Amino acid sequence: MKKFGLTLLTAFAGGALALGVYKFAENKYDQGMSFEDKQKVYFASNRSNAPMVSSAGAADFTQAAAEVTPAVVYIRTTYAAKGSGNQDQFEQMFGQMFGQRMRPQGPQMASGSGVIISPDGYIVTNNHVVAKAEKITIVTNDHRQFEAKVIGTDPNTDLALIKINATNLPIVKLGNSDAVRVGEWVLAVGNPFKLTSTVTAGIVSAKGRSINIIGKDDDDDQEQNPFGPVTQQTPTLRKGIESFIQTDAAINPGNSGGALVNTAGELIGINAAIASHTGSYEGYGFAIPVNLAKKVLNDIKKFGSVKRGYIGISFADLSDPEAAQGLKTDKTNGLYVNSLVEGGGAEKAGIQPGDIITKVEGNTVYESSDLQERVARLQPGDNIKITVLRNGSEKNFDVTLKAEAPVAKSAALSKSASELFNKLGASFQPLTAAQKTKFHVNSGVLVTQVRAGGIFDDTEIPVGSVITSINKQPINSVEDMDNVITNLKNGRLIITGYYPNGGSFSNVFEIQ
């Protein structure tokens, strides 16, 4: 009996030790894990006993709806009251198709959807859902409310990563949008017309769709507003990335940022837009592929902004008959190279104006989205194989993607920690040892993104600056910033740091 007791005690001790080691390792490596890796850990320890139907299986959506709905949230945003300006023009042009906007005399409000992708509170939504928001309120499916802060945005894909302070949240499993097939059944889950937790069904009606709502970076406003005017007259370097999954599942105002899932309950896209003459559902909706979203969201979490590589070309899409006719070519697919960015990857690889890009990584290029999405998943320094048609024969080039200089863009703004964090209008990452040495500091965070309309934008604190302290408290992480701004005295915020050139600054703000 004593022997049995000793054996049992040894087993308990061994189990406790293993659990302790696991928790230590989990905490140690959690911050460096991608969202997909975190999900593998989550779903490995939260297995469902119910059998999963295949994505192309029987049209029974009950299980997928039950699994996904708890992880889709309602997003309510508040904006400062404004007169008739850019916001009014935006709404007039697009018929309030992206959310429920009201126009009282006081602060304006809007609503949308978001998808929880990590149990510790990370949520993906559309950039246009949270852009310039003073306050972001999240309502979960079980009716809990949280205030969210913007971790970072990417207007070029219309994606945003926000976060709430919560744990053990239900999440949606990230799927594989490359495996999605036209004709496949899908569900759209979101909050149309403020009707929370609404599920609609349809099929995938097309892939790789470009509808020209994410504009080109012709000027500052164009970068800020991804739905700005798109013109074809003057070739420019395109930054807007569109390769939408098109579906006939009903998507309406308020669905923006919600989930498009297959019948296995896997996230395959983030609902972003509708094709409509009235501003409501008329037949087709469009979602950002999750494989593109994975790269964008992981970059924002890790670096505070998207590390995107560029080929460095301006092109015309030959799937447009007018463009093909104007270029006097009989090719009906591919991308005609108009010009090259000096010193860019394409120029260095040997691609020339007049070449027609016919393949990317061996896959046929039919339209711009076939190139743009593939490149958008890669990092600066990565190589990509480009096949072009030149003088009647195909030539292959290995193009090394080039990084672009950081640009200060995008938005947010007002008394909780989340509101004040959003009011700063910036994203951050901890300093490396080399950066601390460069700036001769012992603490600090690097400014990786500046969003238009925030404090950092107004006071011209640019990307690449270092924040060493707030209210004389050393800052080494976003968590440190939360702690300091939660305990403001007299509504005063003192931000101290260094510009990228090494010059110091100390700015004082009175928070209203």
Side-chain angles (χ1 to χ4, degrees), residues 105-121:
Q105 294 299 314
Q108 298 181 27
M109 299 183 70
S111 66
S113 305
V115 183
I116 306 173
I117 57 172
S118 180
D120 52 350

Side-chain angles (χ1 to χ4, degrees), residues 61-71 141 187 199:
F61 308 129
T62 55
Q63 183 181 340
E67 291 184 357
V68 173
T69 301
N141 184 252
L187 300 179
V199 180

Side-chain angles (χ1 to χ4, degrees), residues 2 158 162-163 189 197 270 301 342 347 359 398 447:
K2 288 183 178 180
D158 192 29
I162 62 178
K163 190 177 187 305
V189 186
S197 305
I270 303 299
K301 180 176 180 289
E342 185 176 354
E347 184 189 61
K359 295 178 183 177
D398 286 320
V447 179

